[in-house]
């Protein structure tokens, strides 16, 4: 059986899996469904009696049935601590990790007799690039989405993960390839990718040249990754429309009727996307008639007032991200040559209009005339991320990402101060960056060491790391708790140790120590994605030699 390197856009609402077929063309893996659509809803149902698992539309079809347990939005819940589940609406029996493991296993590698998986229908998986929101890296300094997802793929499913890639970067890789095929030439310039999905809104500026994507800067949002994006909008618009039918009994999430409406709305949005766009454009052009014109007609009738009300909070969040993004250069103009829209919710007319209007309104902060690429939006927006991940997996497009945070060590010591009247011990502290913010990821694939060796008056001194998160002026630090699974060096006056850090392809950080004389490295300790814990380094001093 043939082997493939695949790309997976594992989305909050829907997922798309793609590969390069035997003819050398990009192709999506179509999971069985009535419509035969490319996307697979990111949901799972478990039959309570038969221990049978369904995913995608098959799972949505029986959502709310009393004999099943139905799960969705598990990707948004993945980064959250277990103690936060109930607060955020996850009252389910299974953890997000369990549900995601079952979803990906069923889709990718299951070989059960009645299952339909990529492995059974197409071939073995030689490698996989899986996309994640840019906000999973840039927005939260204690984010656990990446390391948890990496563990699911590598340990739970034993899959050959090549890397986790940011969704906008994957989309930029696709645009690079698309431009070459469309115009018989590579695009050379700055591309702004605006990615709006079910839970987050991300913007990333990339420099494109011959089959190469280099990240310049990025930003994104998502309140605990359960942001006011596509999922929020769909839920709100259903509640508003249902209120006209029954004003005394609000539509409640998690009920059978909610699941039925939600499922129908997702299918209607895909099947009738052009009709929805036409209706919105008509309503915007003729506001006097907008109250009478239905924008969405299934499963509930939604008017322009419903749409604008549900979208108002989404719009506010998008504008905050764009404002933050344009201010990154601190007074310097940002060069943007092309703008593309990707992600399921970016096909929505009001989403695109919000981006266009904001950028055009603040054109004084942009150093060249922008061109909005509509054709990629209408034809390939949903597939762009998955296709880009596939191109990266097969080494057709090279990407060069940046790391947004500064991570380093904290040096603390006591200095003797003699002012002739009395002698005092003065506490001193110094922050030493090892991984520097907005530096190229490639610079940290191998361990980068602090250039001076460390001494200590203690055999096992306290260890502290610090982090200065993306776009923050504040520095957080925390001591590594004792008993942690890390081989700390035995510091003494005779040993010369250096401390270093590295990042893997998925931008997960590790700390490493090296015995300078013996040239022996310690076992790398995974710090989690951008340091779930903030650590510290007390008792170490830098040699004055």
């Amino acid at each position: 059986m043939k082997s493939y390197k695949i790309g997976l856009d594992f989305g909050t609402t829907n997922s798309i899996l793609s590969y390069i077929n035997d003819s050398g063309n990009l192709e999506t893996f179509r999971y069985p469904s009535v419509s035969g659509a490319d996307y697979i809803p990111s949901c799972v149902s478990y039959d309570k009696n038969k221990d049978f698992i369904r995913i995608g539309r098959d799972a949505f079809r029986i959502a709310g049935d009393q004999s099943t347990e139905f799960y969705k939005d598990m990707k948004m819940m993945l980064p959250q601590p277990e103690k936060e589940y109930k607060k955020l609406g996850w009252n389910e029996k299974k953890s997000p990790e369990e549900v995601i493991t079952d979803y990906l296993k069923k889709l990718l590698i299951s070989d059960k007799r009645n299952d339909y998986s990529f492995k059974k229908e197409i071939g073995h998986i030689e490698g996989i690039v899986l996309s994640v929101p840019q906000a999973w890296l840039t927005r939260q300094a204690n984010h656990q989405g990446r390391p948890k997802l990496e563990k699911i793929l590598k340990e739970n499913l034993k899959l050959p993960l090549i890397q986790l890639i940011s969704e906008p970067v994957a989309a930029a890789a696709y645009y690079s390839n698309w431009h070459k095929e469309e115009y018989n030439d590579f695009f050379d310039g700055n591309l702004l990718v605006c990615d709006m999905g079910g839970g987050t809104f991300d913007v990333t500026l990339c420099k494109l040249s011959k089959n190469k994507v280099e990240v310049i800067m990025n930003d994104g949002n998502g309140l605990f990754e359960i942001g006011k994006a596509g999922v929020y909008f769909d839920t709100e618009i259903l509640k508003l429309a249902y209120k006209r039918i029954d004003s005394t009994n609000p539509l409640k999430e998690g009920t059978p009727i909610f699941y039925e409406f939600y499922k129908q709305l997702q299918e209607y949005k895909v099947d009738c996307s052009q009709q929805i766009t036409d209706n919105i454009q008509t309503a915007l052009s003729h506001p006097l008639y907008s109250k009478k014109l239905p924008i969405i007609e299934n499963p509930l009738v939604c008017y322009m007032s419903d749409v604008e009300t549900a979208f108002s909070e989404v719009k506010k969040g998008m504008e905050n991200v764009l404002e933050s993004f344009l201010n990154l250069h601190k007074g310097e103009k940002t060069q943007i040559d092309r703008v593309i829209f990707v992600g399921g919710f970016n096909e929505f007319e009001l989403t695109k209009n919000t981006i266009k209007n904001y950028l055009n309104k603040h054109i004084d902060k942009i150093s060249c005339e922008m061109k909005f690429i509509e054709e990629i939006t209408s034809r390939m927006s949903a597939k762009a991320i998955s296709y880009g991940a596939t191109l990266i997996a097969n080494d057709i497009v090279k990407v060069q990402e940046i790391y947004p945070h500064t991570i380093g060590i904290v040096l603390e010591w006591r200095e003797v101060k003699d002012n002739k009247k009395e002698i005092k011990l003065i506490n001193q502290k110094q922050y030493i960056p090892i991984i520097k913010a907005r530096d190229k990821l490639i610079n940290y694939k191998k361990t980068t060491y602090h250039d001076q060796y460390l001494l200590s008056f203690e055999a096992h001194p306290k260890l502290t790391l610090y982090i200065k998160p993306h776009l923050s002026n504040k520095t957080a630090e925390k001591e590594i708790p004792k008993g942690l699974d890390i081989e700390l060096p035995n510091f003494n006056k005779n040993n010369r140790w250096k401390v270093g850090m590295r990042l893997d392809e998925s931008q997960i950080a590790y700390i490493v120590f090296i015995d300078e004389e013996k040239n022996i490295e310690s076992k790398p300790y995974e710090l989690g994605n951008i340091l779930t814990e903030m650590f510290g380094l007390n008792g170490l001093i830098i040699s004055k030699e």
Side-chain angles (χ1 to χ4, degrees):
M1 185 178 282
K2 192 172 179 181
S3 296
Y4 297 85
K5 292 180 180 179
I6 65 173
L8 175 61
D9 175 15
F10 174 44
T12 302
T13 310
N14 298 299
S15 297
I16 297 180
L17 172 63
S18 61
Y19 63 104
I20 295 177
N21 62 26
D22 295 343
S23 300
N25 299 317
L26 288 163
E27 183 175 334
T28 54
F29 175 63
R30 295 197 168 194
Y31 202 78
S33 67
V34 176
S35 62
D38 297 294
Y39 70 92
I40 306 145
S42 302
C43 57
V44 182
S45 69
Y46 298 86
D47 192 306
K48 294 178 182 177
N49 301 318
K50 300 178 182 178
D51 193 30
F52 187 72
I53 300 175
R54 295 178 175 88
I55 67 171
R57 287 175 189 76
D58 196 22
F60 246 135
R61 183 175 55 81
I62 57 173
D65 191 299
Q66 295 302 312
S67 65
T68 64
E69 293 175 10
F70 179 74
Y71 295 81
K72 69 180 185 69
D73 300 340
M74 58 274 195
K75 178 185 169 184
M76 293 196 300
M77 292 303 305
L78 182 64
Q80 308 312 319
E82 188 175 349
K83 63 182 180 180
E84 298 292 325
Y85 286 171
K86 288 189 178 180
K87 279 187 203 174
L88 300 170
W90 186 269
N91 299 308
E92 315 294 354
K93 295 179 181 178
K94 296 181 183 293
S95 70
E97 289 94 328
E98 289 179 282
V99 180
I100 292 172
T101 298
D102 289 337
Y103 178 83
L104 295 179
K105 182 178 181 180
K106 184 95 170 174
L107 173 63
L108 299 174
I109 58 174
S110 177
D111 53 9
K112 288 185 177 179
R113 184 169 59 88
N114 294 322
D115 281 353
Y116 186 98
S117 68
F118 184 90
K119 179 181 177 181
K120 282 182 69 176
E121 305 302 323
I122 307 297
H124 290 293
I125 297 174
E126 183 183 339
I128 180 171
V129 170
L130 190 148
S131 64
V132 295
Q134 179 61 45
W136 277 27
L137 181 66
T138 55
R139 208 61 184 174
Q140 288 180 281
N142 63 337
H143 205 290
Q144 276 293 285
R146 284 178 182 246
K148 284 184 179 180
L149 197 50
E150 185 174 70
K151 181 180 178 182
I152 288 171
L153 291 161
K154 287 183 174 180
E155 297 181 20
N156 298 6
L157 300 176
K158 309 298 182 188
L159 282 167
L161 176 66
I162 297 172
Q163 72 179 98
L164 302 176
I165 191 77
S166 296
E167 291 166 356
V169 178
Y174 172 70
Y175 178 79
S176 175
N177 191 73
W178 173 86
H179 192 279
K180 176 67 169 65
E181 292 184 350
E182 191 79 4
Y183 299 106
N184 198 32
D185 191 19
F186 286 101
F187 173 71
D188 189 359
N190 285 1
L191 176 73
L192 180 65
V193 182
C194 299
D195 175 21
M196 174 66 101
T200 56
F201 174 53
D202 301 323
V203 288
T204 297
L205 185 65
C206 300
K207 166 68 177 173
L208 270 61
S209 54
K210 185 177 180 181
N211 75 339
K212 182 180 175 183
V213 174
E214 183 177 350
V215 177
I216 298 174
M217 57 184 182
N218 42 40
D219 201 3
N221 79 343
L223 181 60
F224 301 112
E225 280 14 277
I226 304 176
K228 291 181 177 177
V231 171
Y232 171 86
F233 174 83
D234 290 347
T235 301
E236 287 300 302
I237 204 165
L238 286 174
K239 288 179 179 178
L240 290 167
Y242 188 80
K243 194 173 182 179
R244 280 197 301 274
I245 299 173
D246 189 344
S247 59
T248 57
N249 298 300
L251 181 64
K252 293 182 180 179
E253 294 181 60
T255 59
I257 189 171
F258 173 82
Y259 285 138
E260 180 59 30
F261 284 158
Y262 192 88
K263 174 185 68 175
Q264 290 182 43
L265 178 61
Q266 300 311 313
E267 293 176 349
Y268 182 81
K269 282 165 57 181
V270 173
D271 296 340
C272 304
S273 60
Q274 189 56 53
Q275 181 182 332
I276 294 172
T277 299
D278 293 342
N279 289 343
I280 290 176
Q281 289 175 347
T282 301
L284 292 173
S285 301
H286 305 282
L288 294 177
Y289 302 101
S290 63
K291 292 183 179 179
K292 298 180 181 180
L293 176 67
I295 303 298
I296 297 172
E297 299 181 64
N298 187 40
L300 300 169
V301 176
C302 305
Y303 296 94
M304 195 62 186
S305 58
D306 302 321
V307 172
E308 290 179 330
T309 300
F311 189 72
S312 60
E313 288 298 313
V314 178
K315 180 180 179 181
K316 190 185 301 181
M318 292 176 67
E319 289 178 340
N320 288 339
V321 170
L322 291 168
E323 179 182 10
S324 172
F325 175 78
L326 289 179
N327 289 334
L328 280 175
H329 274 176
K330 298 179 180 179
E332 295 180 18
K333 289 186 176 183
T334 303
Q335 181 179 334
I336 301 173
D337 301 298
R338 299 284 187 275
V339 181
I340 63 169
F341 309 100
V342 297
F345 199 47
N346 241 331
E347 296 182 48
F348 189 55
E349 186 72 5
L350 295 188
T351 306
K352 291 189 290 184
N353 286 349
T354 299
I355 297 168
K356 288 181 182 179
N357 292 340
Y358 191 91
L359 292 176
N360 284 324
K361 184 179 178 181
H362 295 85
I363 196 71
D364 59 307
K365 295 182 179 180
I366 298 167
S367 65
C368 60
E369 186 178 349
M370 297 170 294
K371 180 179 179 183
F372 295 95
I373 309 300
E374 294 288 350
E375 56 264 46
I376 194 174
T377 303
S378 59
R379 287 163 42 185
M380 286 295 182
S381 173
K383 299 179 185 178
I385 295 170
S386 177
Y387 277 0
T390 303
L391 293 167
I392 294 166
N394 288 275
D395 213 26
I396 294 171
V397 178
K398 311 276 188 184
V399 296
Q400 194 171 92
E401 293 190 87
I402 58 173
Y403 193 74
H405 314 283
T406 294
I407 310 176
I409 57 176
V410 181
L411 301 182
E412 294 187 89
W413 68 94
R414 287 188 172 186
E415 206 172 77
V416 177
K417 186 174 182 180
D418 185 355
N419 63 1
K420 296 184 179 180
K421 291 183 179 180
E422 60 179 333
I423 296 175
K424 290 184 179 181
L425 287 175
I426 307 298
N427 292 330
Q428 300 285 2
K429 180 184 285 190
Q430 183 181 8
Y431 293 93
I432 306 293
I434 297 178
I435 295 176
K436 297 179 181 179
R438 296 181 64 186
D439 208 349
K440 294 176 182 178
L441 187 64
I442 195 171
N443 294 340
Y444 300 102
K445 285 193 174 181
K446 292 184 178 179
T447 305
T448 297
Y449 288 98
H450 178 48
D451 58 358
Q452 294 177 301
Y453 66 86
L454 306 173
L455 297 176
S456 174
F457 299 111
E458 307 171 42
H460 298 286
K462 295 177 182 178
L463 182 65
T464 300
L465 302 180
Y466 82 94
I467 181 169
K468 186 176 180 183
H470 177 62
L471 300 182
S472 173
N473 292 320
K474 296 182 179 179
T475 298
E477 59 186 87
K478 188 172 181 178
E479 178 187 327
I480 295 180
K482 291 181 180 179
L484 211 59
D485 182 25
I486 180 172
E487 297 175 4
L488 295 178
N490 181 17
F491 291 99
N492 60 54
K493 295 178 182 177
N494 299 319
N495 288 347
R496 292 188 173 199
W497 288 90
K498 282 188 175 182
V499 60
M501 295 179 188
R502 67 178 177 84
L503 297 166
D504 68 11
E505 291 81 358
S506 300
Q507 305 202 33
I508 295 173
Y510 294 80
I511 187 169
V512 183
F513 295 94
I514 188 169
D515 183 324
E516 194 180 47
E517 292 183 1
K518 298 178 181 178
N519 199 30
I520 298 175
E521 285 190 343
S522 68
K523 176 184 175 183
Y525 173 70
E526 180 189 322
L527 299 176
N529 185 41
I530 47 170
L531 305 176
T532 303
E533 300 287 343
M534 306 303 138
F535 305 93
L537 182 49
N538 295 330
L540 294 178
I541 61 172
I542 294 182
S543 169
K544 299 296 182 183
E545 296 180 13

